[in-house]
Amino acid sequence: PGGGASSSAAPSRPDASPDTPRGAATAERGEHRTEDLPGALTGQRLDWSRCPAPSAAQGEDAGSPSPLEDGTEWECATLTVPVDYAAPRGATLGVAVVRAREREGGGGGGRIGSLLFNFGGPGGSGVAALPAFARDYRALHQRYDLVSFDPRGVGRSEGVVCLDGEQLDRYFAADWTPDTAAEEKRLFRRQDRFAQACERRAGRLLPHLTTENTARDMDLLRAVLGDDKLHYFGISYGSELGGVYAHLFPRRVGRAVLDAVADPGATPAEGSLGQTAGFEKALDSYLKDCARQDGQCPVSADPAEAKREITELLARLDAEPLPTGGPRKLTEALAESGIAQALYSERLWDALSQGLDEALRDGSGSTLLLLADSLNGRNQDGGYSTLQTSLTAINCADTAKRYTAQDIKARLPAFTRASGVFGPASAWGLAHCRNWPATGRRTAPDVSAPGAPPIVLVGNTGDPATPYEGARRMARALGGSARLLTYKGEGHGSYDTGDSCVRKAVDGYLLDGRAPKDGTVCP
């Protein structure tokens, strides 16, 4: 759940961002904009130093970054970028960057360059995530500097903060599936207050937190790092970001992999409905596996009955939240978030079983609350990272769609048919940009990339958050450069499952330039 006029002038074409440089009406022209920036930006030298512990805005529970297994220390720096690419000599902001340099002699064939990661969200801190997940990418460190960043408006890159921790506790716990006119009014008042708080605290930045601007930041980072090509690994939203980069700078694309691929052409309503169906499918997979657990499953072995038990639990929580052993209670919204969080990975299915068992048998919401806190970016001290707030800010800067209560009510039946568990909250979530203080300009991102080298797309048939069909649509939208690799698995993403077939195909491309054949299937 989550959530004014824009301060920017109207763009030259309907799908342009407010900051599209004048004259950049085509990908070809867009490809040449970075070197037209002021020399103070293109010629800057990054001041690398030892990384501090993650800030609260980045998700401080990750802890200080530990060295890689080979002893390589992490370095951090700040890249200066223009707030507005249409006025590159104007205000700037600092983009936080992290890297682990390739060790000399570490891999056959020599250093290729930097490999830039974006782990999705939008709103996730790459500076916190890359060190946390670096073990998965140790093979790639043989020939690359591993690099990531906090995108503009995220974490240490002027991350958007609108409410304090106690306010966000109440916000995420609130009723996001109104049953009466009074509850509907309260929902919209909450969203209005949230948007107004964001405008007060981050108003000047909100129109500029677009995916296109982040792609331009990535190209400036490429230039400052001294790389002729951008080698890239984008996951989830990072796949959309990679597609936008490829459209703007097709001839600067190096070896690129897009995992957990988002559907670039979907409207927010279409994307949300597809995601709702994806989580329902993932719930079915969990319940099927749970039923095989020799009487240890907390719900019925019959999937339809099991989902009825879960929807009834949510309905009871709407009326009477469960205690958790602390001052906070498990509400309907928090329980639904906790269940969704557990479906992102098979590794969390045991935690979901524990959480459902506590809620259904013991009357406790403790484990489901912990899962919900993870999804919402809550730190152990009660503060929050910018994950969910930045997600709202970036999504609302990107899209021109603004859904009214009437729009949502018309779509509610389709969402509920897609999932009785997740559908209602997903439908009402479409209102989060309704009164946003920055006007989104586009209907869908352009990711067509004529002239780009092979771009490997990895789609997981069981992915709840970015359903597999999105990978097919991204492949069609990119054009002839796409190489689609299908993984028949569960969870969000493919490479991080550790599947040997996926790892071999992706590593073979990134390390040796051998793109898998389009249509390859794993396992």
Side-chain angles (χ1 to χ4, degrees), residues 416-427:
T416 303
R417 285 193 299 271
S419 175
V421 175
F422 304 108
S426 296

Side-chain angles (χ1 to χ4, degrees), residues 142-165:
Q142 296 173 25
R143 302 191 65 191
Y144 289 100
D145 296 348
L146 303 183
V147 181
S148 192
F149 66 113
D150 288 357
R152 55 173 58 212
V154 174
R156 276 203 168 101
S157 300
E158 298 202 31
V160 178
V161 176
C162 307
L163 304 177
D164 64 28

Side-chain angles (χ1 to χ4, degrees), residues 7 25 47 73-74 116 151 155 220 230 256 266 283 287 312 327 331 464 517:
S7 62
D47 183 16
E73 296 280 356
W74 294 96
L116 184 64
L220 179 56
L230 182 78
L283 180 61
L287 292 173
E312 287 182 353
T331 64
K517 182 180 177 181

Side-chain angles (χ1 to χ4, degrees), residues 253-522:
V253 175
R255 299 175 187 176
V257 173
L258 310 182
D259 190 3
V261 186
D263 181 351
T267 65
E270 292 166 346
S272 185
L273 182 59
Q275 193 175 73
T276 299
F279 275 97
E280 182 77 358
K281 181 180 178 182
L283 180 61
D284 287 337
S285 296
Y286 158 75
L287 292 173
K288 182 178 179 180
D289 179 80
C290 191
R292 294 195 292 261
Q293 302 304 313
D294 297 327
Q296 299 302 308
C297 187
V299 292
S300 172
D302 175 68
E305 176 64 17
K307 281 189 274 192
R308 185 187 64 78
E309 293 170 5
I310 293 172
T311 54
E312 287 182 353
L313 169 65
L314 294 175
R316 291 196 299 273
L317 292 171
D318 187 27
E320 186 176 356
L322 284 178
T324 62
R328 300 163 64 216
K329 292 187 176 183
L330 181 75
T331 64
E332 177 191 24
L334 291 171
E336 190 264 346
S337 295
I339 294 167
Q341 172 67 3
L343 297 177
Y344 273 86
S345 172
E346 281 187 279
R347 300 182 186 117
L348 294 175
W349 286 4
D350 286 346
L352 177 55
S353 292
Q354 179 179 335
L356 290 173
D357 186 68
E358 289 176 356
L360 292 168
R361 300 182 185 179
D362 302 331
S364 169
S366 297
T367 297
L368 287 178
L369 180 63
L370 287 173
L371 289 166
D373 286 349
S374 177
L375 184 74
N376 292 329
R378 190 180 196 269
N379 299 319
Q380 292 180 13
D381 65 359
Y384 283 80
S385 74
T386 65
L387 174 62
Q388 292 294 343
T389 303
S390 299
L391 182 150
T392 298
I394 294 167
N395 282 341
C396 295
D398 271 348
T399 183
K401 291 287 187 180
R402 299 293 185 259
Y403 295 96
T404 66
Q406 291 73 25
D407 294 329
I408 293 167
K409 289 173 183 177
R411 290 172 168 84
L412 262 173
F415 275 80
T416 303
R417 285 193 299 271
S419 175
V421 175
F422 304 108
S426 296
W428 284 103
L430 293 174
H432 71 287
C433 294
R434 185 180 63 100
N435 278 339
W436 193 249
T439 303
R441 299 294 187 180
R442 73 183 192 193
T443 55
D446 194 341
V447 299
S448 60
I455 297 174
V456 176
L457 313 182
V458 190
N460 183 342
T461 58
D463 196 316
T466 50
Y468 175 74
E469 183 57 31
R472 290 187 182 276
R473 291 174 178 162
M474 177 70 84
R476 290 194 293 269
L478 281 170
S481 63
R483 303 289 185 273
L484 178 58
L485 169 67
T486 299
Y487 170 57
K488 293 184 176 180
E490 299 291 343
H492 186 40
S494 302
Y495 190 89
D496 65 356
T497 67
D499 180 77
S500 59
C501 174
V502 172
R503 290 276 174 98
K504 182 178 179 180
V506 170
D507 291 353
Y509 181 50
L510 291 175
L511 295 173
D512 302 321
R514 293 181 282 103
K517 182 180 177 181
D518 186 42
T520 299
V521 178
C522 290

Side-chain angles (χ1 to χ4, degrees), residues 110-127:
R111 181 181 181 275
I112 295 171
S114 304
L115 180 61
L116 184 64
F117 289 81
N118 180 279
F119 295 92
S125 166
V127 173

